[in-house]
Amino acid sequence: MQPPRPAAVNSRRTSRLPRGARRLQLLRAAQDVFVAQGFHAAAMDDIADRAGVSKPVLYQHFPGKRELYLALLEEHVSELADRVAHAMGGTDDNRARVDGAVGAYFDFIDAEGEAFRLVFESDLRNDPDVRAIVDRGTGACVEAIAEVIAADTGLDPERALLLASGLTGLSETSARWWLPRKGTVSRDEAVALVTALAWRGISGFPRVD
């Protein structure tokens, strides 16, 4: 009598990963799917397939598609804010700060995976939680730049925030316009051009010694 055959191994099964590593794997898979399909068209099945895991494994980490999207959005909004804060704190040279702030947006938008689309082009922007996360990240970037502008020029907080908002808007719009054309204009040249434009305006304000 032949011994019973072992049960077939599920081809979707992946090696066991530490919880943090598994969460990161799922976020990266979700990013690919959300960027390619948008929130509304994406399905948890698509994300599980992309990650090479079963849906129960996916649901162990995220109770639903919306929670997964919000976690991913929070991660990338924080990344952009950290990039800008680092640019502001990394030097005392204000032109270098402007260059760093502009460069932070270009690097974020040019990053592999096009995560910037989740932040700036989401089809879920009317969701109050999504809007709150994006606004909080934008506010952090604007405030980091405004603090330097206020300290350097003596402008009151509202006017410094206005100028900082203009710089972040210029940087974001320019970087998004540049991305499909980066084969024509290099990243460094594009950042230098936008920095020169912004610096000519900001440097015109009297400096407080």
Side-chain angles (χ1 to χ4, degrees), residues 94-117:
N94 283 336
R95 184 184 176 98
R97 283 172 167 159
V98 172
D99 183 82
V102 173
Y105 275 85
F106 272 76
D107 291 340
F108 177 72
I109 285 174
D110 193 32
E112 183 179 356
E114 297 190 341
F116 79 93
R117 299 192 187 281

Side-chain angles (χ1 to χ4, degrees), residues 123-152:
D123 57 349
L124 205 62
R125 289 293 291 269
N126 291 328
D127 182 286
D129 290 333
V130 170
R131 172 62 63 184
I133 292 171
V134 173
D135 287 350
R136 186 166 62 249
T138 300
C141 295
V142 169
E143 288 170 10
I145 296 170
E147 184 177 344
V148 173
I149 290 175
D152 197 55

Side-chain angles (χ1 to χ4, degrees), residues 16-206:
R16 183 175 295 276
L17 293 175
R19 186 169 182 83
R22 176 70 76 200
R23 178 183 170 85
L24 182 61
Q25 176 200 27
L26 297 175
L27 286 171
R28 296 288 76 77
Q31 177 178 312
D32 291 343
V33 173
F34 285 136
V35 167
Q37 300 181 21
F39 174 82
H40 294 294
M44 291 293 269
D45 282 326
D46 300 328
I47 296 169
D49 286 341
R50 181 72 178 179
V53 302
S54 65
K55 279 181 70 176
V57 169
L58 182 55
Y59 280 112
Q60 285 174 10
H61 293 264
F62 300 98
K65 182 173 72 167
R66 185 172 180 276
E67 289 79 9
L68 178 52
Y69 189 90
L70 292 177
L72 190 59
L73 183 64
E74 187 79 63
E75 175 186 288
H76 290 300
V77 163
S78 297
E79 177 194 344
L80 176 58
D82 288 346
R83 286 178 184 268
V84 173
H86 178 75
M88 294 298 99
T91 178
D92 291 330
D93 183 302
N94 283 336
R95 184 184 176 98
R97 283 172 167 159
V98 172
D99 183 82
V102 173
Y105 275 85
F106 272 76
D107 291 340
F108 177 72
I109 285 174
D110 193 32
E112 183 179 356
E114 297 190 341
F116 79 93
R117 299 192 187 281
L118 303 178
V119 180
F120 300 129
E121 301 176 4
S122 172
D123 57 349
L124 205 62
R125 289 293 291 269
N126 291 328
D127 182 286
D129 290 333
V130 170
R131 172 62 63 184
I133 292 171
V134 173
D135 287 350
R136 186 166 62 249
T138 300
C141 295
V142 169
E143 288 170 10
I145 296 170
E147 184 177 344
V148 173
I149 290 175
D152 197 55
T153 65
L155 289 173
D156 64 81
E158 286 301 310
R159 286 167 176 77
L161 286 167
L162 177 62
L163 292 178
S165 178
L167 178 58
T168 58
L170 171 65
S171 301
E172 176 199 330
T173 302
S174 299
R176 290 170 64 187
W177 187 91
W178 162 82
L179 184 63
R181 301 168 176 84
K182 65 180 183 178
T184 303
V185 182
S186 71
R187 179 266 185 202
D188 290 347
E189 182 183 2
V191 169
L193 287 169
V194 176
T195 296
L197 175 63
W199 180 247
R200 286 180 182 178
I202 293 175
S203 64
F205 288 88

